[in-house]
């Protein structure tokens, strides 16, 4: 059982080298390394790409340049055209999340295709695709730039990769229940001494509220030990001098 | 049945106006509009923010400025500190996806807190938070900028908008942050009186532990009111007879 190949990111007629660099940075953050460029406007390599990549130079160094989208995706088995334009579309429209799931489940290499910054993909580009990938966005303010569209797709893809799981932190567990009972009992002793339970008929309700708050707190053994110390210190007051 | 309030985005000591503008653009793409700024380095308003917002001016126009993170999140009931730094962390660590689900399910308003561009959040900022939010990222190349971190969180939040189940409104929400600060201050006053902080050089660590325990507790306004009463009663001791 082998994992599906990582998808390739195809930028069609990108305009600014800076945006190519930002896309590379977005990709590498989430473990994608294969970039393909179709007819970049200012040629390739582009001196503005490197600085914008913030260290993702390996992506730029390995980027390949192609004369057409068909050539760029020649080895790919499933092609997603990212676009917000939906008129006349007769292909399935998927979210980045759905696309990520499909890419992981599929044998063969997928391509995520992004259009030029201003105009987006042409109809002929979209015609090559099997699916339309659309990021669901605020209908009153849709303003995703190229690198942002790339990062959302790369992020969704990475979520399904094992290594992308967040590290489980070493959280101390809550204290065993007996320690909590001891703390509650300590509170009650101090409060009885202080004649806090007044009037007496309210005592059961007050105790329930106190127990509820201390139970909900989820304190560790160390927290509970600290609270014992605090109760003792406050009752005792200032240390005798001498 | 009402939906949970939209989360607020808090930028702590942001450096470049351009990045504040980009964060606003990222937010509005996914329907978030409430931005709060803590001590922005170059003051506010910042002439570089508007052009970078690409039309998300409404977010900038309504942004509020605060002197401290505690002030910025005073009305929030659950606070997420976004950070990749994990040493010594004793809070739950969640992904943007998990955080989004929690925010939708919760009564009360959540805050997503982002640190300065270069350095990220300080330990004292993180201490205010209930949870750490970490974007799972390529361990060999982690280079998310501020606006990218914001857009991934906003995107995840927006994904659940449609599907979100109604929040558990029958539960009392945790108290707004300002009430928690008041309780912490009350503990500290009582403990200073009792000369609990000894030796003095341990005081900052002790305060962090105390803040951690009280933050984790998730107490409601009623719980906090009870604790104020308990502190006062224990210090006072038995009521004078008469």
């Amino acid at each position: 059982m082998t994992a599906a190949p990582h998808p390739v990111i195809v930028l069609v007629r990108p305009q600014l080298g800076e945006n190519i660099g930002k896309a590379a940075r977005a990709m590498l953050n989430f473990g994608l390394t294969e970039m393909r460029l179709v007819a970049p406007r200012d040629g390739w390599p582009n001196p503005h790409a490197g600085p914008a990549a913030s260290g993702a130079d390996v992506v730029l160094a390995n980027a390949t340049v192609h004369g057409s989208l068909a050539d760029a995706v020649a080895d790919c088995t499933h092609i997603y055209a990212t676009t917000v334009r939906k008129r006349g579309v007769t292909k399935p429209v998927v979210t980045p999340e759905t696309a990520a799931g499909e890419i992981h489940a599929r044998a063969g290499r997928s391509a995520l295709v992004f259009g030029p910054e201003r105009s987006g993909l042409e109809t002929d580009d979209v015609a090559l695709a099997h699916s339309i990938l659309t990021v669901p966005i605020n209908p009153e303010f849709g303003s995703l730039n190229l690198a942002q569209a790339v990062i959302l797709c790369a992020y969704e893809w990475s979520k399904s990769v094992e290594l992308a799981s967040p590290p489980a932190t070493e959280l101390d567990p809550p204290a065993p229940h007996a320690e909590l009972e001891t703390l509650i009992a300590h509170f009650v002793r101090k409060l009885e001494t202080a004649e806090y339970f007044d009037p007496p008929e309210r005592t059961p309700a007050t105790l329930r509220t106190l127990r509820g708050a201390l139970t909900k707190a989820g304190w560790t053994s160390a927290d509970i030990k600290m609270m014992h110390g605090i109760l003792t210190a406050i009752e005792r007051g200032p240390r005798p001098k001498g």
Side-chain angles (χ1 to χ4, degrees), chain A:
Chain A
M1 191 88 142
T2 53
H6 294 194
V8 303
I9 300 293
V10 184
L11 306 186
V12 176
R13 296 182 298 282
Q15 300 176 297
L16 295 176
E18 187 189 353
N19 290 331
I20 300 173
K22 286 179 176 174
R25 176 184 181 181
M27 288 168 60
L28 194 56
N29 266 311
F30 296 104
L32 294 180
T33 56
E34 198 167 337
M35 173 183 270
R36 300 179 185 178
L37 303 172
V38 177
R41 186 189 68 183
D42 298 334
W44 191 255
N46 181 318
H48 301 293
S54 300
D57 305 291
V58 62
V59 176
L60 298 177
N62 294 329
T64 54
V65 179
H66 305 264
S68 68
L69 176 57
D71 181 46
V73 297
D75 61 335
C76 296
T77 57
H78 204 88
I79 299 159
Y80 294 88
T82 60
T83 172
V84 292
R85 297 184 299 179
K86 284 184 288 289
R87 49 189 148 82
V89 163
T90 56
K91 299 171 190 289
V93 177
V94 297
T95 63
E97 187 173 23
T98 302
E102 291 177 357
I103 291 168
H104 282 290
R106 200 170 266 141
R109 181 178 292 264
S110 296
L112 295 164
V113 180
F114 298 82
E117 289 92 329
R118 285 191 156 282
S119 51
L121 290 169
E122 303 277 342
T123 306
D124 285 349
D125 302 321
V126 177
L128 287 192
H130 301 90
S131 305
I132 306 292
L133 194 166
T134 296
V135 180
I137 210 164
N138 183 349
E140 288 159 23
F141 182 81
S143 172
L144 271 191
N145 67 28
L146 177 58
Q148 287 171 337
V150 170
I151 207 169
L152 292 175
C153 294
Y155 163 76
E156 281 289 4
W157 174 81
S158 80
K159 275 167 66 178
S160 316
V161 178
E162 284 304 323
L163 60 85
S165 309
T169 44
E170 298 307 309
L171 276 185
D172 284 338
H177 182 72
E179 294 183 23
L180 180 64
E181 288 290 345
T182 307
L183 181 65
I184 293 171
H186 191 177
F187 263 91
V188 170
R189 278 201 312 279
K190 289 286 190 284
L191 291 171
E192 282 171 346
T193 304
E195 297 169 19
Y196 174 85
F197 297 111
D198 185 33
E201 63 271 24
R202 287 280 309 147
T203 302
T206 306
L207 284 176
R208 261 199 309 280
T209 309
L210 176 64
R211 172 176 285 280
L214 296 178
T215 301
K216 174 165 61 179
W219 285 337
T220 64
S221 295
D223 293 330
I224 285 182
K225 193 172 161 209
M226 174 181 67
M227 285 296 159
H228 282 298
I230 285 174
L231 292 176
T232 300
I234 295 179
E235 188 191 43
R236 182 200 61 216
R239 296 166 195 275
K241 302 291 181 263

